Structure formats: C-alpha cells, structure tokens
Amino acid sequence: MKISADFTVIPDDFAKAAAPAYFNGGVPVVSFPFYIDEVSPEARYLHWEFVDPDSIPVCGFEWIHWSVANLPIDALMYDFNDSHALAIPPDFSRQLPAMIPEAVQGRNSSASKFLGRDNDPAVTMRYNGPQPPDKDHEYYLQVWATKNPLPGLNQGFWLNELLHALRNSGETPETDGIFLTGKA
C-alpha cells in the first residue's frame, strides 16, 4: 500500500486559512484529498487516522483530527488502470455519511470534555483541519487495509477503539502513512 497527496503542505482550503464557509464551530471542516495506491487485491476495507503529534507540547496530548473505519473499498469509485486507483476526494468527511453510511467516523479531539466546545457531531465526529497555534506542525495520516470489517466500531468511536480493533482483528493489516505540514 502507498499513501500520497498532491501536496506536502496542507492547502489553505483544508486548514486554518480556509474561507469562512469551510468552517463550522470555529474549526475548518473540509477534508483534504489523498490517494491510496497499491492496495492488496484481498483488502476490502480501509481505516485511517489523521493526527498531530506536534500538538503534545502545546496541549499535552496528540490531537486527533480525523478517523475513519470500515470504509468498503468497493464503495469507492476506482479504476485499477488509473495511476491513482483509489482517490479520497476533497470534503469526503462531510459527504461520507450520505455516500457510504456503513463507514463510520470517530470522535476527534474537539469532542474532549476538557475543551468545553459544543457537542455538534458535524464538528466532533468529522474532519477537523489543522490550526497550529505556535509554529508549523507535522501531521500524520496513517491508513490501514483489512480483508474484514472491524467489529464493534460505531459512529463516534474513539481512536483507541480503532487501534484495539486493528490489533485484535486476527489479521495483519496492510498500512502506510505520510507526514503533511500544517502552516501556523
């Protein structure tokens, strides 16, 4: 498996410099596009996390920006003759519930009870774009592919539940990831 994007610095439309229409609850909510290539033919489901390890010195924990589980590969429009067989389009996070309801999105760090934010699922259970407050941050997108769906994950799962489900899946998931820069 190979994960890639057409950029190494997250474009403004998907981060803190996005247009006001791309914000909800003070958070950029339009997810960025990326590609998943060279997936094993046996793989049937995709799962991912998008996190900010550089947030640890700022807030004391790794910020969870987006997580997805049990996305059926067959539900995506793809062409194995294309150079980028599987493309996750822009704004996929907001479109996913209507397009592929069997896929689930997890809670991000905006759902933390310590932040005191509104509990709007459109913010807390979708993509939250980068807003590094102190300097440029390196964000990590990791994608896993499995033959079977991961049991026990429902809308609003926590990231640790995804990681436990991957570890206990009885298979060795295919995985790859990329670092992307978010501008301060």
Side-chain angles (χ1 to χ4, degrees):
M1 169 187 296
K2 183 175 187 248
I3 307 305
S4 64
D6 290 333
F7 48 83
T8 57
V9 175
I10 299 169
D12 288 348
D13 284 348
F14 314 110
K16 73 190 283 183
Y22 291 179
F23 275 74
N24 185 353
V27 178
V29 293
V30 175
S31 57
F32 59 84
F34 63 94
Y35 305 107
I36 305 165
D37 295 309
E38 301 173 20
V39 179
S40 167
E42 293 86 37
R44 297 284 176 258
Y45 294 89
L46 298 172
H47 325 274
W48 64 78
E49 69 173 350
F50 180 58
V51 295
D52 177 8
D54 285 340
S55 69
I56 295 168
V58 178
C59 63
F61 57 90
E62 180 177 71
W63 193 275
I64 304 163
H65 283 271
W66 191 20
S67 57
V68 172
N70 296 333
L71 174 63
I73 291 174
D74 288 346
L76 297 171
M77 299 178 76
Y78 63 93
D79 176 359
F80 282 113
N81 295 318
D82 188 347
S83 63
H84 289 303
L86 296 170
I88 303 301
D91 205 17
F92 188 68
S93 177
R94 293 192 303 175
Q95 297 172 18
L96 182 58
M99 289 174 36
I100 311 170
E102 61 270 34
V104 292
Q105 296 185 78
R107 286 182 181 95
N108 56 53
S109 291
S110 287
S112 171
K113 63 183 177 184
F114 299 113
L115 294 178
R117 289 192 175 164
D118 184 19
N119 199 22
D120 180 356
V123 175
T124 61
M125 289 188 256
R126 302 285 185 273
Y127 172 85
N128 277 191
Q131 296 180 289
D134 58 334
K135 61 181 179 178
D136 292 354
H137 284 201
E138 292 296 314
Y139 295 80
Y140 190 62
L141 171 66
Q142 183 168 7
V143 179
W144 297 271
T146 59
K147 296 175 189 169
N148 298 301
L150 301 174
L153 296 177
N154 299 308
Q155 290 293 348
F157 64 86
W158 291 102
L159 182 58
N160 65 311
E161 294 175 295
L162 171 62
L163 299 174
H164 291 298
L166 285 162
R167 187 179 68 236
N168 297 323
S169 68
E171 38 180 308
T172 303
E174 252 188 289
T175 189
D176 191 33
I178 57 171
F179 283 97
L180 299 168
T181 300
K183 300 304 268 179

